[in-house]
Amino acid sequence: MKHTISLFITLSAFWLLNSGHYSLLILSLGFASIILILVIAHKMDVIDQESQPLHLTPDIFGYSAWLIKEVVLSNISVVKHIWLKDKSISPTLTTIKISQQTDMGKLIYANSITLTPGTVAIDLVKDEIIVHALVDKDIETLNAGEMDRRVTRLER
Amino acid sequence: MDTVITISSGFFILVGCFLCFSGGVGLLRFPDFYTRMHAVGVTDTLGAGMILIGLMFISSDILVFAKLVMILLLTLLIGPTTSHVLAKAAYHNGLMPKALNKLKKNNDKEANSSTL
Amino acid sequence: MLIAATLAIFVTMILAIVRGITGPTLYDRILAVNMFGTKTVLLIALLGFVMGRPEFLDIAIVYALINFISVIGVLRYSDTDQFNHTPPQNEQTEKER
């Protein structure tokens, strides 16, 4: 029930912000389409804590702020390597261990790796991620595990 | 106040343009597919983000602001998903990074033509 | 300044198209086309502000979604044997069935 209400609020906000017209006819049409989508989603059985991760909400903002800082720093380093010669890059392909237990934690970790330029998560096999990195040093920072610790803290 | 808004929005937009242009140059300069993917990552995250934040400063309307935030969130959601799917498809169809090709002493052309 | 930004994005799109035409493997081409799409979203947003018509942002949102779906749609083919005659992971899944 909690997740249905959250999906309803999200869809209503999306409709109201995109529409910009607030006459009765338009609003009722919007309401009808939101109800239709909720019914379809119920039949598909996709409304659960995986599609609406409400239990993460309190901690996700702190993590996002830290992630934005990381993204800015790694962007600067990748741009530096673009303008330097080819020889400054050292592409690597390795597997790294992850310590998360839940699927959601693994997903957040792999997605954060991909969102940071310079490292891309290619595949996830059980508790290992195959990572391609532009520079050796990025793998070392991932192995040092600050991101890993933060995601694990988020998971609880 | 007006000049502050104009200057800050101009700063954000110009930095974003420089990042996007660098990403385009990286797309041409880097040696193989996996490294080019990192160059595209630059334009997708911070390049687009900077330009959209710059536009947010000069948006006149709250609805326009909300739509810009929506585009930013969509870009940040879509970017990693596409690059991951692309990398996974390339990896599973046998396209190896150049660094490994050197180690295994495979011919580059063979590795590439087998995927086509 | 907005016009300069539009021109810069335009040049970036040309660079992406060059990579799309030359780019040796299939995946380079898909990557270039995807980048071309995301840059188009930015171009539409910027053009909306240049022309003083922020309604263009609606089109930008729709374009972002279409671009995402088209790339995912193309790459769905790589799971089946449309690109390769004998992809290894495909045989495995058939055996599991």
Side-chain angles (χ1 to χ4, degrees):
Chain A
M1 197 61 216
K2 198 171 65 177
H3 301 111
T4 314
I5 293 171
S6 133
L7 183 61
F8 177 77
I9 292 172
T10 317
L11 287 173
S12 316
F14 191 73
W15 173 280
L16 290 175
L17 289 175
N18 267 322
S19 158
H21 296 281
Y22 301 114
S23 69
L24 188 63
L25 174 69
I26 301 282
L27 283 181
S28 54
L29 283 177
F31 188 73
S33 47
I34 289 170
I35 295 296
L36 180 67
I37 287 176
L38 283 182
V39 169
I40 293 174
H42 251 288
K43 289 208 165 167
M44 286 169 75
D45 200 22
V46 290
I47 306 180
D48 50 9
Q49 62 167 1
E50 232 173 57
S51 65
Q52 304 282 320
L54 291 177
H55 57 287
L56 295 177
T57 312
D59 301 325
I60 203 88
F61 293 106
Y63 180 70
S64 309
W66 180 80
L67 188 64
I68 287 171
K69 193 202 83 189
E70 284 298 300
V71 166
V72 171
L73 287 181
S74 59
N75 260 301
I76 292 169
S77 107
V78 172
V79 168
K80 203 179 71 194
H81 285 294
I82 286 175
W83 289 109
L84 291 175
K85 284 272 159 59
D86 264 359
K87 279 165 190 152
S88 69
I89 61 170
S90 47
T92 350
L93 186 80
T94 42
T95 58
I96 58 168
K97 286 249 172 212
I98 52 177
S99 61
Q100 282 79 30
Q101 299 298 319
T102 57
D103 284 351
M104 183 61 80
K106 287 176 188 172
L107 175 91
I108 292 176
Y109 189 34
N111 223 340
S112 310
I113 290 176
T114 313
L115 193 59
T116 328
T119 48
V120 170
I122 293 176
D123 207 351
L124 183 80
V125 188
K126 283 174 188 167
D127 61 343
E128 281 180 339
I129 305 183
I130 305 175
V131 178
H132 185 272
L134 189 62
V135 198
D136 287 343
K137 221 174 63 199
D138 289 338
I139 292 284
E140 281 166 28
T141 31
L142 277 180
N143 274 331
E146 193 184 357
M147 189 185 269
D148 197 10
R149 267 200 307 281
R150 281 177 190 267
V151 176
T152 312
R153 212 184 302 148
L154 186 71
E155 197 178 35
R156 281 189 213 116
Chain B
M1 195 58 203
D2 248 13
T3 49
V4 174
I5 287 176
T6 315
I7 288 173
S8 48
S9 90
F11 171 74
F12 274 106
I13 289 178
L14 286 183
V15 171
C17 283
F18 173 70
L19 286 174
C20 281
F21 182 68
S22 310
V25 171
L27 190 66
L28 287 183
R29 275 179 88 165
F30 276 160
D32 74 331
F33 165 73
Y34 292 93
T35 43
R36 279 171 205 147
M37 215 159 47
H38 302 304
V40 175
V42 171
T43 67
D44 267 355
T45 54
L46 203 61
M50 282 284 189
I51 289 179
L52 290 173
I53 290 172
L55 289 180
M56 277 174 210
F57 275 108
I58 52 175
S59 61
S60 49
D61 198 350
I62 187 76
L63 281 180
V64 174
F65 185 83
K67 275 173 195 167
L68 285 170
V69 173
M70 226 180 274
I71 295 177
L72 181 56
L73 287 181
L74 277 178
T75 320
L76 287 184
L77 275 177
I78 288 170
T81 314
T82 28
S83 38
H84 164 70
V85 172
L86 202 53
K88 195 174 172 182
Y91 186 73
H92 280 296
N93 283 324
L95 179 69
M96 279 291 140
K98 225 172 192 176
L100 295 186
N101 282 347
K102 270 182 207 158
L103 289 179
K104 289 178 183 171
K105 291 188 179 170
N106 280 347
N107 196 352
D108 226 21
K109 275 186 182 172
E110 275 177 19
N112 286 339
S113 62
S114 69
T115 62
L116 278 174
Chain C
M1 177 198 59
L2 283 174
I3 295 172
T6 315
L7 284 177
I9 297 294
F10 206 70
V11 171
T12 313
M13 286 165 78
I14 291 173
L15 292 179
I17 277 294
V18 169
R19 176 49 77 194
I21 292 170
T22 59
T25 67
L26 175 76
Y27 301 101
D28 286 302
R29 289 169 213 261
I30 299 177
L31 185 73
V33 169
N34 175 37
M35 180 174 158
F36 188 79
T38 52
K39 293 292 93 59
T40 312
V41 174
L42 285 182
L43 186 75
I44 294 173
L46 278 167
L47 273 182
F49 276 84
V50 169
M51 295 180 180
R53 291 177 63 186
E55 303 90 32
F56 275 32
L57 290 177
D58 296 335
I59 306 171
I61 292 177
V62 174
Y63 203 94
L65 292 173
I66 290 176
N67 180 40
F68 173 60
I69 290 173
S70 64
V71 171
I72 297 292
V74 168
L75 288 171
R76 284 295 281 186
Y77 276 98
S78 64
D79 285 346
T80 65
D81 50 1
Q82 300 286 321
F83 286 168
N84 254 341
H85 288 296
T86 53
Q89 84 274 23
N90 218 35
E91 286 169 0
Q92 276 177 7
T93 50
E94 273 168 14
K95 272 175 198 167
E96 280 165 15
R97 278 174 209 152

